[in-house]
Amino acid sequence: MAASSGSGGQWETQCLNCGTALQGHYCYRCGQRAGPHERSIKALCGDFFEMLTHADSKFWRTIRRLALSPAALTRDYVEGRRMSEIPPVRMFFVVIIMMFAVQSFIPSRQVVTAIKVDDRAQTAGQVEGWQLAGHPRITAWVHRHVSAAVRNPQEVVAVMREWSERFVLLLLPLSSGMLWLLFLWPGHRTLYEHVIFTVHSLTFTFAVFTVAVALSQALGDMAWWLLWWPPFHLYRHMRGFYGSSRLGTLVRMAVLLGMSLLAVGILLSALSLLSLQLGTQEAG
Ligand SMILES: [Zn+2]
């Protein structure tokens, strides 16, 4: 191994990333830290272990601030104090990936196969007997797809899972838009700032949900009590970041809840129709 390439644990004289001559511990051109760059599995494991265990690492500090003082975290970010926290969008995607990973460990097949096969045939027969008001083509669609779904639910559940992951991402623009509407007055925050607020808020909510799902496997229904945390968190986050009054915050939260329920209702309906359509295609 050539010593000049900076391998092993030696300090290099040129930035390994862009080749600029180094002055000090960071490249002034691209910002990469100067060596020594360890190239071993042991060093990789060490980095990972340090991130998880070192209580004052950027990772845990950001998580702690997000949980306990979210308004200060969001304010610091939009006002440009960014070095000491994980970028919001990166954290958001890490939490989303963890959320889906945790859910994928909980088998949907268990739920689906719990329904007895002869019961399914019977239910499918009942569905075909449904009398629906409306256009006969709609009735035919419902009959065909719902009874196919009852006979073979695995496929529908799989499609539903896949699309729910895509739909979750829609929550970001939807919620940002709602906040923008709700804070048109006093209007001192920009759309960009609402988006950052939303990213932080959704990250927290998804993280709590993920922890609750994971804990519910061990503790049972008790774990769902955790879901009381996000509303209180949102209240403090909004009050702190937007500087709204107690009443102003509560009224906005109520309107936000109403709009969110409406949006989630529309999304869930779309998701059900889509899953029925795509999950029972070969049956149609
Ligand atoms: Zn460089």
Side-chain angles (χ1 to χ4, degrees):
M1 238 182 249
S4 62
S5 72
S7 61
Q10 287 185 355
W11 290 81
E12 67 266 22
T13 53
Q14 289 184 327
C15 173
L16 291 181
N17 185 52
C18 69
T20 306
L22 283 170
Q23 296 174 356
H25 295 307
Y26 291 86
C27 171
Y28 66 84
R29 185 152 175 256
C30 75
Q32 175 159 294
R33 193 169 67 88
H37 294 284
E38 290 239 38
R39 293 170 190 187
S40 66
I41 302 290
K42 196 176 141 227
L44 280 183
C45 296
D47 277 354
F48 183 67
F49 193 69
E50 191 188 304
M51 185 193 83
L52 289 184
T53 55
H54 193 221
D56 207 39
S57 72
K58 215 180 203 184
F59 176 75
W60 286 117
R61 194 169 48 226
T62 312
I63 299 274
R64 199 167 53 229
R65 291 191 77 204
L66 179 63
L68 302 177
S69 41
L73 182 76
T74 308
R75 214 180 306 120
D76 276 353
Y77 188 83
V78 300
E79 288 171 10
R81 291 180 294 276
R82 298 180 176 183
M83 273 307 273
S84 55
E85 61 172 285
I86 309 249
V89 172
R90 191 184 308 168
M91 202 163 54
F92 180 69
F93 279 101
V94 167
V95 166
I96 282 195
I97 288 166
M98 278 167 54
M99 178 165 75
F100 293 138
V102 164
Q103 279 170 355
S104 69
F105 280 116
I106 296 158
S108 57
R109 206 170 293 158
Q110 273 182 6
V111 187
V112 168
T113 47
I115 312 166
K116 281 201 200 106
V117 179
D118 39 333
D119 284 351
R120 277 189 216 162
Q122 202 186 1
T123 314
Q126 283 168 1
V127 168
E128 272 152 25
W130 282 355
Q131 295 300 315
L132 297 175
H135 199 279
R137 277 181 64 190
I138 297 174
T139 309
W141 187 91
V142 171
H143 281 173
R144 194 168 71 240
H145 288 277
V146 173
S147 58
V150 172
R151 283 199 184 90
N152 183 20
Q154 245 98 343
E155 190 64 23
V156 180
V157 171
V159 173
M160 202 172 237
R161 270 204 165 166
E162 187 191 325
W163 277 86
S164 63
E165 297 179 5
R166 294 172 193 172
F167 275 33
V168 158
L169 291 179
L170 281 179
L171 290 177
L172 187 53
L174 280 175
S175 315
S176 308
M178 289 177 197
L179 277 175
W180 176 78
L181 273 177
L182 285 172
F183 284 98
L184 273 177
W185 187 87
H188 62 300
R189 293 289 185 189
T190 62
L191 182 59
Y192 167 81
E193 292 171 334
H194 295 308
V195 173
I196 299 298
F197 178 95
T198 309
V199 170
H200 274 150
S201 189
L202 286 179
T203 301
F204 177 78
T205 305
F206 291 161
V208 169
F209 180 71
T210 306
V211 170
V213 169
L215 281 181
S216 71
Q217 297 296 297
L219 302 176
D221 290 344
M222 215 169 75
W224 300 116
W225 283 95
L226 259 183
L227 298 184
W228 282 102
W229 192 1
F232 289 99
H233 181 270
L234 178 65
Y235 174 81
R236 288 188 56 220
H237 197 186
M238 268 167 100
R239 232 169 101 64
F241 182 70
Y242 292 104
S244 46
S245 65
R246 285 198 177 91
L247 183 64
T249 309
L250 287 174
V251 168
R252 285 184 177 96
M253 277 181 68
V255 179
L256 190 65
L257 180 69
M259 290 199 287
S260 306
L261 286 179
L262 186 68
V264 167
I266 294 171
L267 282 181
L268 279 180
S269 311
L271 183 63
S272 313
L273 291 178
L274 201 70
S275 311
L276 277 179
Q277 176 68 39
L278 297 176
T280 59
Q281 248 165 5
E282 63 270 48

